C-alpha cells in the first residue's frame, strides 16, 4: 500500500512570498491532518479534515494560512504571505477511521520550508 | 490545556543494551490515548506503540514496551536490545477522543555500535 505522499520535499522562498504544499493521503483514509514542526519542537496540528470538511482549524493562522481538501482526497496548504517564523517542516498525515482517538495516523515525509 | 513533557533532549545507548525514554503529561481527563512516535533522520514519522488510558496492562510491541503510570501521569518507553536502526527522534504524544494530538518536544536517541 502506498504511503502518504507530499510535495515538494524542500522549498526556499523569501518573506512575503507565497507557497503551497500538496498532500495525497493513503487511499480510503477519511481523515487528513496538517502539522507544523518547528526545529527542536514536536509537531503542532494546524488543521484536521474529515472527508472534505474541516474538523479542527483552531491553531491555523487564518490571516496567512489556508487549506483545502478537494473531493475529500488530496489537500493543499497555502501560506500567503510567508514570514520568517514559518520556516518549519510541514507534515501531512492521514487515518482511516474519522477522528478516532486510537486510530493510527500515518505520516508523510514532510515538506521542509525555509523562509529567507 | 494538555501538555506533554519530555525532559531528556538527548539520550545515548550502547547497541544491544536497554534504554528508557521519559514522558510526563498533564491532563484532568480520565479517558485518553498515549503514543510514542519515531522519526528517523530525513524519514517519516512512524508509530512505535500506543496505550489506551483505560487499560491497566502496559503495551508491548516486540522490543518496545511502556511503563504507564496513570496516577503519576507518566508514560515511559523502554527499548530493549537496542539496534542501530533505533537511532531517531522519539516523540511522546497525547490525544483525547477526537481532539488534536499533542506532542512533546522529542528525545534524540543515539545508538553506539
Amino acid at each position: 500500500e502506498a504511503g502518504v505522499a507530499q510535495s515538494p520535499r524542500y522549498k526556499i522562498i523569501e518573506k512575503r512570498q507565497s507557497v503551497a504544499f500538496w498532500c495525497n493521503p493513503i487511499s480510503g483514509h477519511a481523515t487528513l491532518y496538517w502539522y507544523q514542526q518547528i526545529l527542536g519542537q514536536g509537531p503542532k496540528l494546524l488543521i484536521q479534515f474529515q472527508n472534505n470538511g474541516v474538523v479542527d482549524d483552531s491553531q491555523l493562522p487564518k490571516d496567512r494560512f489556508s487549506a483545502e481538501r478537494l473531493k475529500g482526497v488530496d489537500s493543499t496548504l497555502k501560506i500567503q504571505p510567508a514570514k520568517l517564523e514559518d520556516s518549519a517542516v510541514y507534515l501531512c498525515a492521514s487515518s482511516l477511521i474519522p477522528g478516532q482517538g486510537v486510530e493510527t495516523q500515518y505520516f508523510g515525509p514532510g515538506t521542509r520550508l525555509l523562509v529567507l | 490545556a494538555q501538555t506533554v513533557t519530555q525532559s531528556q533532549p538527548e539520550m545515548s545507548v550502547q547497541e544491544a543494551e536497554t534504554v528508557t525514554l521519559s514522558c510526563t503529561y498533564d491532563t484532568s481527563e480520565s479517558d485518553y490515548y498515549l503514543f510514542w512516535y519515531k522519526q528517523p533522520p530525513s524519514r517519516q514519522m512512524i508509530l512505535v506503540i500506543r496505550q489506551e488510558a483505560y487499560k491497566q496492562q502496559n503495551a508491548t510491541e516486540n522490543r518496545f514496551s511502556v511503563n504507564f503510570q496513570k496516577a503519576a501521569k507518566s508514560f515511559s518507553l523502554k527499548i530493549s536490545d537496542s539496534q542501530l536502526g533505533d537511532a531517531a527522534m522519539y516523540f511522546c504524544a497525547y490525544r483525547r477522543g477526537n481532539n488534536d494530538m499533542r506532542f512533546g518536544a522529542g528525545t534524540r536517541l543515539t545508538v553506539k555500535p
Side-chain angles (χ1 to χ4, degrees):
Chain A
E1 153 179 280
V4 177
Q6 289 188 248
S7 68
R9 293 295 309 277
Y10 304 93
K11 191 73 178 179
I12 300 174
I13 62 173
E14 295 187 351
K15 59 183 179 182
R16 291 187 291 274
Q17 285 188 325
S18 301
V19 65
F21 312 128
W22 174 81
C23 173
N24 181 236
I26 293 173
S27 178
H29 280 200
T31 308
L32 185 146
Y33 312 80
W34 281 104
Y35 291 89
Q36 180 191 58
Q37 186 178 15
I38 293 173
L39 186 65
Q41 299 181 18
K44 182 186 80 172
L45 181 70
L46 292 176
I47 189 167
Q48 175 183 340
F49 292 94
Q50 181 173 316
N51 296 310
N52 59 353
V54 175
V55 174
D56 182 359
D57 64 356
S58 58
Q59 299 187 90
L60 187 74
K62 298 180 185 64
D63 57 334
R64 298 183 301 106
F65 286 65
S66 64
E68 60 180 4
R69 189 179 185 194
L70 302 174
K71 300 179 182 179
V73 182
D74 293 6
S75 177
T76 55
L77 176 68
K78 297 179 181 178
I79 308 175
Q80 181 181 13
K83 293 185 175 181
L84 297 178
E85 58 262 36
D86 298 332
S87 294
V89 176
Y90 291 84
L91 298 170
C92 180
S94 68
S95 64
L96 181 60
I97 299 174
Q100 291 297 310
V102 73
E103 183 62 23
T104 297
Q105 293 187 22
Y106 295 86
F107 285 81
T111 295
R112 189 176 299 274
L113 173 68
L114 179 59
V115 182
L116 302 176
Chain B
Q2 295 83 13
T3 58
V4 179
T5 302
Q6 293 180 248
S7 59
Q8 306 153 316
E10 296 185 1
M11 289 286 284
S12 179
V13 63
Q14 205 71 33
E15 193 176 6
E17 296 195 343
T18 297
V19 63
T20 299
L21 308 184
S22 301
C23 173
T24 59
Y25 56 94
D26 179 33
T27 185
S28 58
E29 305 295 333
S30 60
D31 190 18
Y32 48 87
Y33 306 91
L34 296 165
F35 306 85
W36 278 99
Y37 278 88
K38 172 185 177 182
Q39 188 175 41
S42 302
R43 295 181 61 186
Q44 51 236 69
M45 190 174 298
I46 58 173
L47 178 67
V48 175
I49 197 166
R50 63 187 181 207
Q51 174 84 41
E52 291 86 348
Y54 65 86
K55 290 186 178 179
Q56 293 185 341
Q57 187 173 5
N58 289 324
T60 298
E61 289 287 343
N62 301 315
R63 297 182 296 107
F64 299 87
S65 61
V66 299
N67 183 5
F68 173 47
Q69 301 289 328
K70 191 171 184 179
K73 298 178 184 176
S74 171
F75 183 60
S76 61
L77 174 70
K78 185 172 81 171
I79 306 174
S80 304
D81 185 24
S82 297
Q83 300 176 1
L84 295 178
D86 295 334
M89 283 292 291
Y90 285 83
F91 293 96
C92 177
Y94 164 103
R95 188 176 194 187
R96 183 180 74 84
N98 295 334
N99 293 339
D100 69 284
M101 190 147 60
R102 300 295 177 104
F103 287 84
T107 296
R108 182 177 304 280
L109 177 67
T110 302
V111 181
K112 298 179 179 178

